[in-house]
Amino acid sequence: MTTTDLDRATVEEAYARWAPVYDVVFGAVFDAGRKAAIAAAERVGGRILEFGVGTGLALPSYKRSNRLVGVDISEPMLQKARERVEKDGLSHVEGLFLMDGADLGFADNSFDVAIAQFVITVVPQPEKTLDELARVLKPGGEIILVNHLGAEEGLRASFERWFARRARKLGWRPEFQLARLHAWAQKNGTAELIEAKNVGLGVYTLVRFRKLAAGASNEAEPTALAG
């Protein structure tokens, strides 16, 4: 583990602190990215895994024709999500589970979509988590991510590298770049990167992977990053 990596204890502690105020602090800030990710997920539809479901802020926004399963590493965040499901009568939510993304307790080919909103850059083991998301997807299903991603070069990239160590106590990894996601897809071999585009006034990036059929190649070029 490098000096800028996150460990599970740090993430759990950080998000236990965030749980009581998360919706107020981040609800409006993440709204545009969240809407873009949900729209992409619903173009596939079916059984959807909400990885990093948090307080369940996104759950009421899905059409009731979908079936949702939420997982998170933070019990305080999940408790908020359970309260939301009960209060809002979200009958399309099958269940909410405490799970580590690097070891999901679901069978292979269980979901049509796996969506992770503002979370893949803050989990302790991003590549192992993505491996698991790909494993539980059906062939043809999609992994949909939305996140702030680090700059590849320039002043912002320098600042993000400097800020990285200081951001760990908040549970953040600001220097995480799109190149790391592309490298994961190439190494994993079961998923292809099909789209990466700016959303939310260019602040966030929506990234889509498609799970390949057995024996297929992931050599296709993704849609170019667009403003």
Side-chain angles (χ1 to χ4, degrees):
M1 185 168 67
T2 71
T3 57
T4 57
D5 272 339
L6 293 167
D7 60 82
R8 179 167 179 164
T10 298
V11 173
E12 289 180 343
E13 181 180 351
Y15 283 88
R17 293 196 304 268
W18 282 120
V21 298
Y22 186 89
D23 292 1
V24 173
V25 175
F26 296 113
V29 172
F30 288 163
D31 188 58
R34 187 165 49 246
K35 287 178 178 176
I38 291 172
E42 291 195 325
R43 285 195 288 271
V44 180
R47 192 169 188 236
I48 298 174
L49 174 63
E50 261 268 1
F51 174 72
V53 68
T55 65
L57 194 59
L59 296 178
S61 299
Y62 288 93
K63 296 174 183 175
R64 298 305 191 264
S65 56
N66 299 300
R67 293 169 293 140
L68 304 177
V69 175
V71 302
D72 206 280
I73 199 173
S74 170
E75 181 58 36
M77 299 284 270
L78 277 175
Q79 185 55 42
K80 293 288 185 182
R82 295 184 188 110
E83 292 168 4
R84 189 186 304 274
V85 167
E86 182 175 357
K87 177 177 177 290
D88 294 349
L90 304 180
S91 58
H92 60 319
V93 178
E94 291 184 5
L96 299 168
F97 304 100
L98 184 68
M99 286 186 188
D100 186 335
D103 186 21
L104 295 175
F106 302 113
D108 296 356
N109 309 322
S110 294
F111 297 95
D112 300 289
V113 182
I115 182 170
Q117 303 178 57
F118 308 103
V119 67
I120 200 62
T121 65
V122 302
V123 295
Q125 301 179 79
E127 284 79 12
K128 287 187 178 180
T129 295
L130 288 164
D131 285 343
E132 281 290 273
L133 295 181
R135 178 185 66 78
V136 302
L137 270 186
K138 300 174 184 176
E142 293 190 12
I143 297 173
I144 297 170
L145 313 176
V146 65
N147 248 104
H148 165 80
L149 294 177
E152 302 287 336
E153 58 186 6
L155 186 61
R156 182 161 73 89
S158 297
F159 171 78
E160 287 165 346
R161 287 192 295 270
W162 171 84
F163 185 54
R165 188 187 298 273
R166 294 155 182 83
R168 292 304 176 261
K169 291 183 180 180
L170 299 173
W172 298 343
R173 192 189 273 115
E175 78 289 1
F176 194 109
Q177 298 174 344
L178 177 64
R180 186 165 176 177
L181 297 175
H182 193 279
W184 165 78
Q186 293 296 309
K187 183 177 180 180
N188 175 271
T190 71
E192 59 178 342
L193 178 59
I194 57 174
E195 183 179 35
K197 68 177 182 179
N198 289 325
V199 295
L201 302 177
V203 177
Y204 308 119
T205 303
L206 178 74
V207 182
R208 295 169 51 225
F209 298 94
R210 181 181 296 120
K211 184 170 180 177
L212 301 166
S217 169
N218 66 349
E219 294 302 316
E221 288 297 317
T223 301
L225 186 65

mmCIF file of all heavy atoms in Angstrom, residues 108-144:
data_model
loop_
_atom_site.group_PDB
_atom_site.id
_atom_site.type_symbol
_atom_site.label_atom_id
_atom_site.label_comp_id
_atom_site.label_asym_id
_atom_site.label_seq_id
_atom_site.Cartn_x
_atom_site.Cartn_y
_atom_site.Cartn_z
ATOM 1 N N ASP A 108 -22.070 -14.749 -9.376
ATOM 2 C CA ASP A 108 -21.726 -14.245 -10.702
ATOM 3 C C ASP A 108 -23.007 -13.948 -11.490
ATOM 4 O O ASP A 108 -24.033 -14.624 -11.326
ATOM 5 C CB ASP A 108 -20.918 -15.290 -11.479
ATOM 6 C CG ASP A 108 -19.572 -15.601 -10.836
ATOM 7 O OD1 ASP A 108 -19.225 -14.961 -9.831
ATOM 8 O OD2 ASP A 108 -18.882 -16.504 -11.352
ATOM 9 N N ASN A 109 -22.927 -12.946 -12.367
ATOM 10 C CA ASN A 109 -24.012 -12.655 -13.321
ATOM 11 C C ASN A 109 -25.342 -12.355 -12.629
ATOM 12 O O ASN A 109 -26.396 -12.802 -13.078
ATOM 13 C CB ASN A 109 -24.189 -13.826 -14.299
ATOM 14 C CG ASN A 109 -22.891 -14.252 -14.952
ATOM 15 O OD1 ASN A 109 -22.050 -13.414 -15.280
ATOM 16 N ND2 ASN A 109 -22.697 -15.546 -15.118
ATOM 17 N N SER A 110 -25.299 -11.585 -11.541
ATOM 18 C CA SER A 110 -26.504 -11.311 -10.744
ATOM 19 C C SER A 110 -27.225 -10.028 -11.130
ATOM 20 O O SER A 110 -28.392 -9.860 -10.798
ATOM 21 C CB SER A 110 -26.140 -11.225 -9.257
ATOM 22 O OG SER A 110 -25.710 -12.464 -8.756
ATOM 23 N N PHE A 111 -26.539 -9.110 -11.821
ATOM 24 C CA PHE A 111 -27.102 -7.784 -12.050
ATOM 25 C C PHE A 111 -26.972 -7.359 -13.507
ATOM 26 O O PHE A 111 -26.064 -7.778 -14.211
ATOM 27 C CB PHE A 111 -26.395 -6.747 -11.161
ATOM 28 C CG PHE A 111 -26.582 -6.979 -9.691
ATOM 29 C CD1 PHE A 111 -25.632 -7.691 -8.968
ATOM 30 C CD2 PHE A 111 -27.702 -6.503 -9.029
ATOM 31 C CE1 PHE A 111 -25.793 -7.922 -7.613
ATOM 32 C CE2 PHE A 111 -27.880 -6.731 -7.672
ATOM 33 C CZ PHE A 111 -26.927 -7.440 -6.965
ATOM 34 N N ASP A 112 -27.905 -6.501 -13.917
ATOM 35 C CA ASP A 112 -27.851 -5.912 -15.249
ATOM 36 C C ASP A 112 -26.981 -4.661 -15.277
ATOM 37 O O ASP A 112 -26.395 -4.318 -16.312
ATOM 38 C CB ASP A 112 -29.264 -5.545 -15.715
ATOM 39 C CG ASP A 112 -30.170 -6.750 -15.784
ATOM 40 O OD1 ASP A 112 -29.970 -7.582 -16.691
ATOM 41 O OD2 ASP A 112 -31.074 -6.878 -14.930
ATOM 42 N N VAL A 113 -26.920 -3.954 -14.149
ATOM 43 C CA VAL A 113 -26.146 -2.726 -14.031
ATOM 44 C C VAL A 113 -25.512 -2.690 -12.649
ATOM 45 O O VAL A 113 -26.132 -3.087 -11.661
ATOM 46 C CB VAL A 113 -27.035 -1.465 -14.194
ATOM 47 C CG1 VAL A 113 -26.182 -0.196 -14.118
ATOM 48 C CG2 VAL A 113 -27.819 -1.495 -15.483
ATOM 49 N N ALA A 114 -24.277 -2.201 -12.579
ATOM 50 C CA ALA A 114 -23.644 -1.855 -11.307
ATOM 51 C C ALA A 114 -23.259 -0.387 -11.393
ATOM 52 O O ALA A 114 -22.523 0.012 -12.295
ATOM 53 C CB ALA A 114 -22.409 -2.712 -11.047
ATOM 54 N N ILE A 115 -23.796 0.411 -10.496
ATOM 55 C CA ILE A 115 -23.575 1.853 -10.528
ATOM 56 C C ILE A 115 -22.865 2.278 -9.254
ATOM 57 O O ILE A 115 -23.199 1.825 -8.160
ATOM 58 C CB ILE A 115 -24.917 2.607 -10.728
ATOM 59 C CG1 ILE A 115 -24.698 4.119 -10.807
ATOM 60 C CG2 ILE A 115 -25.913 2.260 -9.649
ATOM 61 C CD1 ILE A 115 -25.959 4.872 -11.237
ATOM 62 N N ALA A 116 -21.877 3.143 -9.409
ATOM 63 C CA ALA A 116 -21.115 3.650 -8.259
ATOM 64 C C ALA A 116 -20.980 5.158 -8.426
ATOM 65 O O ALA A 116 -20.290 5.623 -9.337
ATOM 66 C CB ALA A 116 -19.745 2.989 -8.174
ATOM 67 N N GLN A 117 -21.648 5.902 -7.567
ATOM 68 C CA GLN A 117 -21.685 7.349 -7.673
ATOM 69 C C GLN A 117 -20.793 7.984 -6.610
ATOM 70 O O GLN A 117 -21.025 7.822 -5.419
ATOM 71 C CB GLN A 117 -23.121 7.841 -7.505
ATOM 72 C CG GLN A 117 -24.087 7.223 -8.512
ATOM 73 C CD GLN A 117 -25.506 7.690 -8.307
ATOM 74 O OE1 GLN A 117 -25.776 8.877 -8.327
ATOM 75 N NE2 GLN A 117 -26.424 6.758 -8.105
ATOM 76 N N PHE A 118 -19.748 8.661 -7.073
ATOM 77 C CA PHE A 118 -18.847 9.395 -6.180
ATOM 78 C C PHE A 118 -18.231 8.481 -5.122
ATOM 79 O O PHE A 118 -18.097 8.857 -3.962
ATOM 80 C CB PHE A 118 -19.598 10.563 -5.518
ATOM 81 C CG PHE A 118 -20.299 11.436 -6.512
ATOM 82 C CD1 PHE A 118 -21.676 11.354 -6.694
ATOM 83 C CD2 PHE A 118 -19.577 12.303 -7.311
ATOM 84 C CE1 PHE A 118 -22.322 12.132 -7.636
ATOM 85 C CE2 PHE A 118 -20.220 13.094 -8.261
ATOM 86 C CZ PHE A 118 -21.598 13.008 -8.425
ATOM 87 N N VAL A 119 -17.863 7.267 -5.548
ATOM 88 C CA VAL A 119 -17.356 6.311 -4.563
ATOM 89 C C VAL A 119 -16.117 5.545 -5.012
ATOM 90 O O VAL A 119 -15.285 5.200 -4.184
ATOM 91 C CB VAL A 119 -18.477 5.325 -4.147
ATOM 92 C CG1 VAL A 119 -18.877 4.424 -5.305
ATOM 93 C CG2 VAL A 119 -18.077 4.491 -2.956
ATOM 94 N N ILE A 120 -15.939 5.278 -6.313
ATOM 95 C CA ILE A 120 -14.853 4.381 -6.711
ATOM 96 C C ILE A 120 -13.485 4.965 -6.373
ATOM 97 O O ILE A 120 -12.528 4.222 -6.132
ATOM 98 C CB ILE A 120 -14.940 4.024 -8.218
ATOM 99 C CG1 ILE A 120 -14.145 2.749 -8.508
ATOM 100 C CG2 ILE A 120 -14.483 5.188 -9.099
ATOM 101 C CD1 ILE A 120 -14.642 1.518 -7.794
ATOM 102 N N THR A 121 -13.371 6.277 -6.297
ATOM 103 C CA THR A 121 -12.085 6.883 -5.966
ATOM 104 C C THR A 121 -11.797 6.890 -4.467
ATOM 105 O O THR A 121 -10.694 7.274 -4.060
ATOM 106 C CB THR A 121 -12.010 8.337 -6.478
ATOM 107 O OG1 THR A 121 -12.979 9.133 -5.793
ATOM 108 C CG2 THR A 121 -12.247 8.396 -7.971
ATOM 109 N N VAL A 122 -12.767 6.486 -3.644
ATOM 110 C CA VAL A 122 -12.558 6.535 -2.195
ATOM 111 C C VAL A 122 -12.581 5.159 -1.529
ATOM 112 O O VAL A 122 -12.381 5.065 -0.322
ATOM 113 C CB VAL A 122 -13.594 7.458 -1.505
ATOM 114 C CG1 VAL A 122 -13.502 8.861 -2.075
ATOM 115 C CG2 VAL A 122 -15.019 6.922 -1.620
ATOM 116 N N VAL A 123 -12.823 4.101 -2.289
ATOM 117 C CA VAL A 123 -12.797 2.772 -1.678
ATOM 118 C C VAL A 123 -11.343 2.348 -1.453
ATOM 119 O O VAL A 123 -10.433 2.792 -2.169
ATOM 120 C CB VAL A 123 -13.526 1.717 -2.545
ATOM 121 C CG1 VAL A 123 -15.007 2.041 -2.649
ATOM 122 C CG2 VAL A 123 -12.914 1.606 -3.929
ATOM 123 N N PRO A 124 -11.082 1.493 -0.464
ATOM 124 C CA PRO A 124 -9.706 1.088 -0.175
ATOM 125 C C PRO A 124 -8.999 0.377 -1.332
ATOM 126 O O PRO A 124 -7.808 0.565 -1.541
ATOM 127 C CB PRO A 124 -9.860 0.166 1.038
ATOM 128 C CG PRO A 124 -11.122 0.615 1.699
ATOM 129 C CD PRO A 124 -12.019 1.022 0.572
ATOM 130 N N GLN A 125 -9.742 -0.450 -2.102
ATOM 131 C CA GLN A 125 -9.127 -1.252 -3.165
ATOM 132 C C GLN A 125 -9.923 -1.079 -4.466
ATOM 133 O O GLN A 125 -10.745 -1.935 -4.812
ATOM 134 C CB GLN A 125 -9.094 -2.727 -2.761
ATOM 135 C CG GLN A 125 -8.322 -2.992 -1.468
ATOM 136 C CD GLN A 125 -8.336 -4.459 -1.082
ATOM 137 O OE1 GLN A 125 -7.584 -5.260 -1.629
ATOM 138 N NE2 GLN A 125 -9.192 -4.826 -0.150
ATOM 139 N N PRO A 126 -9.711 0.009 -5.197
ATOM 140 C CA PRO A 126 -10.529 0.284 -6.381
ATOM 141 C C PRO A 126 -10.511 -0.820 -7.426
ATOM 142 O O PRO A 126 -11.566 -1.187 -7.970
ATOM 143 C CB PRO A 126 -9.927 1.581 -6.931
ATOM 144 C CG PRO A 126 -9.240 2.207 -5.771
ATOM 145 C CD PRO A 126 -8.737 1.073 -4.931
ATOM 146 N N GLU A 127 -9.325 -1.350 -7.745
ATOM 147 C CA GLU A 127 -9.247 -2.365 -8.802
ATOM 148 C C GLU A 127 -9.952 -3.666 -8.389
ATOM 149 O O GLU A 127 -10.674 -4.268 -9.195
ATOM 150 C CB GLU A 127 -7.795 -2.631 -9.184
ATOM 151 C CG GLU A 127 -7.176 -1.541 -10.048
ATOM 152 C CD GLU A 127 -6.732 -0.313 -9.249
ATOM 153 O OE1 GLU A 127 -6.700 -0.387 -8.000
ATOM 154 O OE2 GLU A 127 -6.410 0.717 -9.868
ATOM 155 N N LYS A 128 -9.756 -4.093 -7.157
ATOM 156 C CA LYS A 128 -10.451 -5.296 -6.692
ATOM 157 C C LYS A 128 -11.956 -5.079 -6.655
ATOM 158 O O LYS A 128 -12.747 -5.983 -6.949
ATOM 159 C CB LYS A 128 -9.939 -5.710 -5.316
ATOM 160 C CG LYS A 128 -8.548 -6.329 -5.335
ATOM 161 C CD LYS A 128 -8.172 -6.881 -3.964
ATOM 162 C CE LYS A 128 -6.800 -7.545 -4.004
ATOM 163 N NZ LYS A 128 -6.421 -8.097 -2.669
ATOM 164 N N THR A 129 -12.365 -3.869 -6.298
ATOM 165 C CA THR A 129 -13.792 -3.543 -6.297
ATOM 166 C C THR A 129 -14.355 -3.605 -7.709
ATOM 167 O O THR A 129 -15.428 -4.171 -7.937
ATOM 168 C CB THR A 129 -14.007 -2.152 -5.688
ATOM 169 O OG1 THR A 129 -13.617 -2.178 -4.312
ATOM 170 C CG2 THR A 129 -15.458 -1.727 -5.788
ATOM 171 N N LEU A 130 -13.647 -3.048 -8.672
ATOM 172 C CA LEU A 130 -14.101 -3.108 -10.056
ATOM 173 C C LEU A 130 -14.132 -4.544 -10.567
ATOM 174 O O LEU A 130 -15.043 -4.929 -11.319
ATOM 175 C CB LEU A 130 -13.210 -2.237 -10.932
ATOM 176 C CG LEU A 130 -13.397 -0.726 -10.745
ATOM 177 C CD1 LEU A 130 -12.226 0.036 -11.356
ATOM 178 C CD2 LEU A 130 -14.714 -0.270 -11.356
ATOM 179 N N ASP A 131 -13.153 -5.354 -10.159
ATOM 180 C CA ASP A 131 -13.180 -6.777 -10.514
ATOM 181 C C ASP A 131 -14.476 -7.421 -10.026
ATOM 182 O O ASP A 131 -15.110 -8.217 -10.743
ATOM 183 C CB ASP A 131 -11.995 -7.510 -9.879
ATOM 184 C CG ASP A 131 -10.666 -7.237 -10.561
ATOM 185 O OD1 ASP A 131 -10.667 -6.751 -11.709
ATOM 186 O OD2 ASP A 131 -9.629 -7.512 -9.936
ATOM 187 N N GLU A 132 -14.856 -7.103 -8.795
ATOM 188 C CA GLU A 132 -16.071 -7.666 -8.217
ATOM 189 C C GLU A 132 -17.330 -7.151 -8.921
ATOM 190 O O GLU A 132 -18.268 -7.913 -9.167
ATOM 191 C CB GLU A 132 -16.140 -7.355 -6.718
ATOM 192 C CG GLU A 132 -15.280 -8.255 -5.866
ATOM 193 C CD GLU A 132 -15.852 -9.663 -5.836
ATOM 194 O OE1 GLU A 132 -16.715 -9.951 -4.979
ATOM 195 O OE2 GLU A 132 -15.443 -10.483 -6.680
ATOM 196 N N LEU A 133 -17.358 -5.865 -9.241
ATOM 197 C CA LEU A 133 -18.512 -5.327 -9.960
ATOM 198 C C LEU A 133 -18.660 -6.009 -11.319
ATOM 199 O O LEU A 133 -19.778 -6.329 -11.752
ATOM 200 C CB LEU A 133 -18.371 -3.815 -10.131
ATOM 201 C CG LEU A 133 -18.402 -2.980 -8.846
ATOM 202 C CD1 LEU A 133 -18.272 -1.489 -9.181
ATOM 203 C CD2 LEU A 133 -19.665 -3.235 -8.035
ATOM 204 N N ALA A 134 -17.544 -6.238 -11.999
ATOM 205 C CA ALA A 134 -17.601 -6.942 -13.288
ATOM 206 C C ALA A 134 -18.062 -8.386 -13.106
ATOM 207 O O ALA A 134 -18.842 -8.910 -13.913
ATOM 208 C CB ALA A 134 -16.236 -6.896 -13.964
ATOM 209 N N ARG A 135 -17.605 -9.017 -12.054
ATOM 210 C CA ARG A 135 -17.965 -10.424 -11.816
ATOM 211 C C ARG A 135 -19.463 -10.587 -11.617
ATOM 212 O O ARG A 135 -20.059 -11.542 -12.140
ATOM 213 C CB ARG A 135 -17.225 -10.945 -10.583
ATOM 214 C CG ARG A 135 -17.568 -12.400 -10.226
ATOM 215 C CD ARG A 135 -16.917 -12.837 -8.940
ATOM 216 N NE ARG A 135 -17.411 -12.129 -7.758
ATOM 217 C CZ ARG A 135 -18.582 -12.393 -7.157
ATOM 218 N NH1 ARG A 135 -19.397 -13.331 -7.632
ATOM 219 N NH2 ARG A 135 -18.936 -11.706 -6.081
ATOM 220 N N VAL A 136 -20.091 -9.694 -10.870
ATOM 221 C CA VAL A 136 -21.513 -9.878 -10.545
ATOM 222 C C VAL A 136 -22.426 -9.379 -11.665
ATOM 223 O O VAL A 136 -23.645 -9.571 -11.599
ATOM 224 C CB VAL A 136 -21.886 -9.202 -9.211
ATOM 225 C CG1 VAL A 136 -21.036 -9.754 -8.076
ATOM 226 C CG2 VAL A 136 -21.783 -7.681 -9.274
ATOM 227 N N LEU A 137 -21.859 -8.768 -12.707
ATOM 228 C CA LEU A 137 -22.644 -8.323 -13.853
ATOM 229 C C LEU A 137 -22.926 -9.464 -14.822
ATOM 230 O O LEU A 137 -22.087 -10.336 -15.035
ATOM 231 C CB LEU A 137 -21.903 -7.244 -14.627
ATOM 232 C CG LEU A 137 -22.086 -5.777 -14.287
ATOM 233 C CD1 LEU A 137 -21.339 -4.948 -15.313
ATOM 234 C CD2 LEU A 137 -23.551 -5.376 -14.250
ATOM 235 N N LYS A 138 -24.087 -9.394 -15.454
ATOM 236 C CA LYS A 138 -24.383 -10.290 -16.566
ATOM 237 C C LYS A 138 -23.625 -9.819 -17.797
ATOM 238 O O LYS A 138 -23.361 -8.618 -17.951
ATOM 239 C CB LYS A 138 -25.887 -10.274 -16.866
ATOM 240 C CG LYS A 138 -26.776 -10.716 -15.724
ATOM 241 C CD LYS A 138 -28.242 -10.515 -16.075
ATOM 242 C CE LYS A 138 -29.155 -10.864 -14.915
ATOM 243 N NZ LYS A 138 -30.582 -10.581 -15.214
ATOM 244 N N PRO A 139 -23.238 -10.729 -18.708
ATOM 245 C CA PRO A 139 -22.634 -10.293 -19.973
ATOM 246 C C PRO A 139 -23.546 -9.290 -20.678
ATOM 247 O O PRO A 139 -24.762 -9.474 -20.739
ATOM 248 C CB PRO A 139 -22.516 -11.594 -20.768
ATOM 249 C CG PRO A 139 -22.392 -12.655 -19.709
ATOM 250 C CD PRO A 139 -23.303 -12.205 -18.598
ATOM 251 N N GLY A 140 -22.964 -8.211 -21.177
ATOM 252 C CA GLY A 140 -23.739 -7.140 -21.790
ATOM 253 C C GLY A 140 -24.168 -6.072 -20.799
ATOM 254 O O GLY A 140 -24.618 -5.002 -21.211
ATOM 255 N N GLY A 141 -24.058 -6.360 -19.508
ATOM 256 C CA GLY A 141 -24.397 -5.377 -18.491
ATOM 257 C C GLY A 141 -23.341 -4.287 -18.399
ATOM 258 O O GLY A 141 -22.256 -4.393 -18.982
ATOM 259 N N GLU A 142 -23.660 -3.234 -17.668
ATOM 260 C CA GLU A 142 -22.762 -2.087 -17.604
ATOM 261 C C GLU A 142 -22.386 -1.718 -16.174
ATOM 262 O O GLU A 142 -23.207 -1.789 -15.258
ATOM 263 C CB GLU A 142 -23.404 -0.865 -18.269
ATOM 264 C CG GLU A 142 -23.580 -1.010 -19.766
ATOM 265 C CD GLU A 142 -23.990 0.287 -20.448
ATOM 266 O OE1 GLU A 142 -23.919 1.363 -19.802
ATOM 267 O OE2 GLU A 142 -24.361 0.225 -21.627
ATOM 268 N N ILE A 143 -21.126 -1.323 -16.010
ATOM 269 C CA ILE A 143 -20.657 -0.622 -14.816
ATOM 270 C C ILE A 143 -20.710 0.862 -15.152
ATOM 271 O O ILE A 143 -20.151 1.300 -16.163
ATOM 272 C CB ILE A 143 -19.213 -1.007 -14.454
ATOM 273 C CG1 ILE A 143 -19.106 -2.495 -14.117
ATOM 274 C CG2 ILE A 143 -18.723 -0.161 -13.272
ATOM 275 C CD1 ILE A 143 -17.668 -2.965 -13.907
ATOM 276 N N ILE A 144 -21.384 1.634 -14.308
ATOM 277 C CA ILE A 144 -21.516 3.073 -14.525
ATOM 278 C C ILE A 144 -20.943 3.804 -13.324
ATOM 279 O O ILE A 144 -21.386 3.600 -12.200
ATOM 280 C CB ILE A 144 -22.989 3.449 -14.763
ATOM 281 C CG1 ILE A 144 -23.499 2.783 -16.044
ATOM 282 C CG2 ILE A 144 -23.150 4.974 -14.837
ATOM 283 C CD1 ILE A 144 -24.980 2.878 -16.247
#
